[in-house]
Amino acid sequence: SIEMDLLHSNGVLIIQHLQRDYRAYQDFLNFMSHVGDPRNIFSIYFPLWFQLNQVVGTKMIWVAVIGDWFNLIFKWILFGHRPYWWVQETMIYPNQSSPCLEQFPITCETGPGSPSGHAMGSSCVWYVMVTAALSYTVRWKDKSAVTLHRLMWSFLWSIFWIIQISVCISRVFIATHFPHQVVLGVFAGILVAEAFEHTPAIQTASLRMYIKTNLFLFIFALGFYLSLKLIDIDLLWSVPKAKKWCANPDWINIDTTPFAGLVRNLGALFGLGLGINSEMFITSCKGKNSCKISFRILCIATSLATLQLYNFVKIPTHTEYLFYILSFCKSAAMPLTVVALVPYCVHSLMRTTEKKLN
């Protein structure tokens, strides 16, 4: 439509302005784009929070998975273009004089652009963290504590918005999103996170409930995709565009395709359910050592170190279906490691040490 073309062309002007006048901040903006990467939720934020507060950690995974699932469905419905290919194909510029937008190694996302998955993932997980931190200070009753809570409220929400704005600017700067796409992503993420503030049932969900949820999310997404394909609507239309207009073919990564994100999130949710409902979790995280600060610090440090090792595990990409299966297994292993394997090993080590001392 004409209105959408005008919105896109204005967005291109903003991108050109950012790439021209904010060149000195390129490294910082690229870094903030990595900060907003939804995969950081599973490898950094979740290990930290789950050992500090299991309720918050569990909510974080649910919010991240459901939020990213909604993001996928919205992307398929909205058919949002990305700037780096839109400027090459639009007909609104005279004499084929399309603007030149610089691309970066993290520019060439292959899925549709609206809403931004980075902005949505970042806003939903930081919303959970900020509200969790404030839930501790809101209980303080004396006058000085109330004043401190208000200061904390202002400080944490200021940090929240600084991070979200920085992530949004970074995604626009690298020409992978238009401004309206990142704004939509931020507010969509906040809505998903707020919805889970009123969903306590996830804390007592059984393994059967986790499996049912996984099956529903997968069947709905696959059914939606196949139904539209039957009427000649290809929901993977963005992948050929990304491959065609990406400045460097090596920057195209199968990990950014729509189904790769879906499989990754379903694996993480399954791994969380498997871990929470395991005997190892009950023995370690529900035992007497679970209240010890030393136990939690050891679990955090070991979890973070172990999860970094997963980055060295490279999944073969030559066969797409094999990639999805292995990606699911790798994603499931990460929360399972944090929730069950690491705490059980730390618990066993501490128990052995205590016996030797006695």
Side-chain angles (χ1 to χ4, degrees):
S1 65
I2 297 177
E3 292 81 4
M4 189 57 67
D5 283 341
L6 289 174
L7 189 63
H8 286 159
S9 62
N10 288 331
V12 168
L13 293 176
I14 294 173
I15 295 170
Q16 288 181 304
H17 169 69
L18 289 174
Q19 292 187 343
R20 181 181 65 250
D21 298 337
Y22 287 79
R23 174 65 54 194
Y25 304 101
Q26 176 180 329
D27 291 339
F28 171 75
L29 292 174
N30 285 334
F31 170 75
M32 289 308 300
S33 190
H34 286 295
V35 168
D37 192 331
R39 285 169 288 197
N40 289 332
I41 299 171
F42 308 119
S43 61
I44 299 176
Y45 304 136
F46 171 67
L48 283 170
W49 274 97
F50 187 82
Q51 305 302 344
L52 295 174
N53 187 315
Q54 293 169 10
V55 172
V56 177
T58 301
K59 185 194 298 181
M60 189 175 291
I61 291 290
W62 277 89
V63 166
V65 170
I66 301 300
D68 210 48
W69 183 82
F70 273 115
N71 182 262
L72 172 65
I73 300 302
F74 287 149
K75 283 179 184 292
W76 279 348
I77 292 174
L78 297 177
F79 281 80
H81 290 274
R82 293 186 184 271
Y84 76 92
W85 76 57
W86 181 82
V87 294
Q88 304 291 340
E89 297 187 343
T90 183
M91 302 300 294
I92 70 169
Y93 297 107
N95 302 322
Q96 302 296 319
S97 57
S98 59
C100 181
L101 299 182
E102 185 175 354
Q103 296 183 25
F104 302 87
I106 56 175
T107 294
C108 300
E109 300 263 349
T110 58
S114 187
S116 166
H118 280 64
M120 191 168 175
S122 175
S123 65
C124 72
V125 73
W126 279 92
Y127 188 93
V128 169
M129 290 193 287
V130 169
T131 53
L134 291 175
S135 68
Y136 290 102
T137 61
V138 76
R139 302 168 190 164
W140 300 339
K141 298 300 182 183
D142 57 274
K143 190 173 182 179
S144 60
V146 170
T147 302
L148 182 59
H149 169 72
R150 289 174 179 171
L151 289 173
M152 285 293 293
W153 189 95
S154 300
F155 174 74
L156 290 177
W157 283 117
S158 296
I159 294 296
F160 172 86
W161 284 110
I162 289 171
I163 290 173
Q164 304 321 310
I165 291 171
S166 298
V167 170
C168 289
I169 292 175
S170 72
R171 301 302 288 171
V172 174
F173 173 84
I174 64 174
T176 200
H177 283 295
F178 290 103
H180 69 278
Q181 295 173 343
V182 293
V183 172
L184 180 60
V186 168
F187 287 102
I190 291 174
L191 287 175
V192 172
E194 180 60 29
F196 275 89
E197 292 292 318
H198 311 284
T199 314
I202 60 174
Q203 302 298 334
T204 57
S206 63
L207 180 58
R208 178 176 293 184
M209 179 58 67
Y210 276 91
I211 293 174
K212 285 182 178 179
T213 303
N214 256 17
L215 287 174
F216 170 78
L217 296 177
F218 178 74
I219 291 172
F220 186 97
L222 183 62
F224 188 70
Y225 168 78
L226 293 176
S227 298
L228 290 185
K229 194 169 185 179
L230 287 175
I231 56 175
D232 292 328
I233 298 178
D234 183 14
L235 294 179
L236 300 181
W237 59 274
S238 59
V239 178
K241 290 182 181 292
K243 291 179 177 179
K244 180 179 180 181
W245 297 114
C246 184
N248 186 339
D250 293 336
W251 295 347
I252 295 290
N253 192 340
I254 190 175
D255 200 32
T256 66
T257 59
F259 277 112
L262 175 66
V263 169
R264 183 172 59 247
N265 286 307
L266 294 182
L269 188 63
F270 177 73
L272 176 66
L274 199 61
I276 283 182
N277 292 280
S278 67
E279 285 297 325
M280 286 190 292
F281 171 76
I282 296 171
T283 301
S284 55
C285 294
K286 297 296 183 180
K288 62 177 183 178
N289 283 329
S290 62
C291 297
K292 296 180 179 179
I293 298 297
S294 57
F295 173 80
R296 297 188 179 189
I297 292 175
L298 277 172
C299 286
I300 290 173
T302 308
S303 296
L304 289 173
T306 304
L307 292 185
Q308 298 314 306
L309 297 177
Y310 282 97
N311 294 329
F312 294 101
V313 179
K314 301 300 180 183
I315 300 175
T317 58
H318 57 275
T319 304
E320 192 169 356
Y321 293 111
L322 177 62
F323 171 84
Y324 291 145
I325 293 171
L326 294 178
S327 180
F328 178 89
C329 295
K330 179 181 176 181
S331 299
M334 295 176 74
L336 182 61
T337 299
V338 174
V339 172
L341 297 177
V342 166
Y344 184 77
C345 291
V346 173
H347 169 77
S348 300
L349 178 64
M350 293 179 70
R351 187 175 59 182
T352 303
T353 305
E354 288 172 359
K355 286 181 179 180
K356 288 182 179 179
L357 292 174
N358 294 332

